[in-house]
Amino acid sequence: MPLGPLRPSPLVEQAAQRLRAQIADGTWPVGARLPGETTLARELGVGRSTVREALRALAGAGLVQARQGAGVFVLATEPEEDWRARLRRASVADVYEIREMIEGRATELAAVRRTDADLAAIDRALAARDAARPADAAAGPQVEAFIDADIALHAAIVRAAHNPILTDLFAEFVPVLREGLLELASFVDVRRHDLDHGRDAHAALVEAVRDRDPAAAARIIAAELEQTLTGLRRR
């Protein structure tokens, strides 16, 4: 399929779209070297600077890669998903496995680095979680409020690690975690046997952070998260 000249409009976007179409239809398969900038500019009817910007956009999408002295090569036929899109598509169990790694380390750091202000925030979050515990096993707003309070407690402990990257990573997981926990709470057997989802374990976790005991904190959070992960795998 010949490229053909472009119509007037945002030329970089048009050029990138036309080149992407050539990659998608197999004209340039994965591993192929694209024609040089001069050739592409002539076929598209634009300047070399426009081609260069279009190729840069394709590189940003993970479709091509420039190799110094060799040219531009096709890496993939579909653009890479961004982090949030990949999280939305991932299973909750997969996300929970990563959460175990992130929150396990964050909890250890919190036990070492926490301040009095952090402890005050964590204590408030634990009290809010206790207050939000549903009076019965009925699903609905009560369960949603409890799950939100549970996540808020975990978020307060992660913040006490004083690592902004860990804090941001946990925040990225929250929407998927919330959705998964709501689904998990909808199962009658889960609600009947463990609606509180480990009040004693959460209290013990807070005490481990208070006592600056990273080993105990890591052990408690690992057991608590593994319990939930087991429930997710059984769905």
Side-chain angles (χ1 to χ4, degrees):
M1 179 179 73
L3 289 171
L6 299 175
R7 299 182 303 277
S9 88
L11 293 181
V12 171
E13 288 83 350
Q14 280 196 73
Q17 289 172 4
R18 193 69 60 81
L19 295 173
R20 180 177 292 183
Q22 297 286 90
I23 292 171
D25 71 12
T27 300
W28 299 315
V30 173
R33 180 183 180 277
L34 269 61
E37 287 181 4
T38 301
T39 300
L40 291 175
R42 183 175 61 252
E43 293 188 15
L44 291 167
V46 297
R48 290 180 60 186
S49 62
T50 298
V51 170
R52 194 173 301 119
E53 289 300 317
L55 291 174
R56 187 172 292 127
L58 295 185
L63 293 174
V64 301
Q65 180 184 54
R67 300 174 188 168
Q68 189 170 5
V72 178
F73 293 81
V74 178
L75 292 181
T77 57
E78 295 292 335
E80 291 180 346
E81 289 182 303
D82 64 25
W83 173 242
R84 289 183 178 86
R86 189 168 296 181
L87 273 180
R88 287 193 299 270
R89 190 169 54 82
S91 72
V92 179
D94 287 342
V95 172
Y96 239 87
E97 288 178 352
I98 303 303
R99 181 188 175 187
E100 284 186 305
M101 300 180 219
I102 291 173
E103 199 168 346
R105 181 55 177 155
T107 302
E108 287 182 324
L109 291 175
V112 173
R113 299 174 177 175
R114 61 84 177 156
T115 64
D116 289 343
D118 293 327
L119 278 181
I122 291 168
D123 284 337
R124 287 194 298 270
L126 179 62
R129 184 184 186 278
D130 289 341
R133 185 173 66 175
D136 53 41
Q142 281 188 319
V143 171
E144 286 194 42
F146 176 68
I147 287 172
D148 289 340
D150 179 73
I151 292 173
L153 172 59
H154 286 269
I157 293 172
V158 171
R159 284 195 297 273
H162 293 280
N163 183 312
I165 296 175
L166 284 174
T167 301
D168 290 346
L169 279 173
F170 185 80
E172 293 284 355
F173 288 146
V174 164
V176 181
L177 293 174
R178 186 178 188 276
E179 179 182 345
L181 290 172
L182 284 170
E183 284 187 36
L184 188 62
S186 70
F187 287 91
V188 174
D189 58 341
V190 172
R191 298 203 313 270
R192 184 174 64 246
H193 295 303
D194 195 18
L195 182 60
D196 178 58
H197 193 56
R199 196 283 171 191
D200 290 343
H202 284 76
L205 174 62
V206 171
E207 288 309 305
V209 172
R210 189 187 316 279
D211 295 341
R212 298 190 186 277
D213 189 341
R219 184 173 62 253
I220 294 165
I221 193 66
E224 191 262 324
L225 294 179
E226 185 59 33
Q227 180 182 353
T228 303
L229 184 55
T230 297
L232 290 168
R233 287 170 175 155
R234 288 174 178 169
R235 290 188 306 169

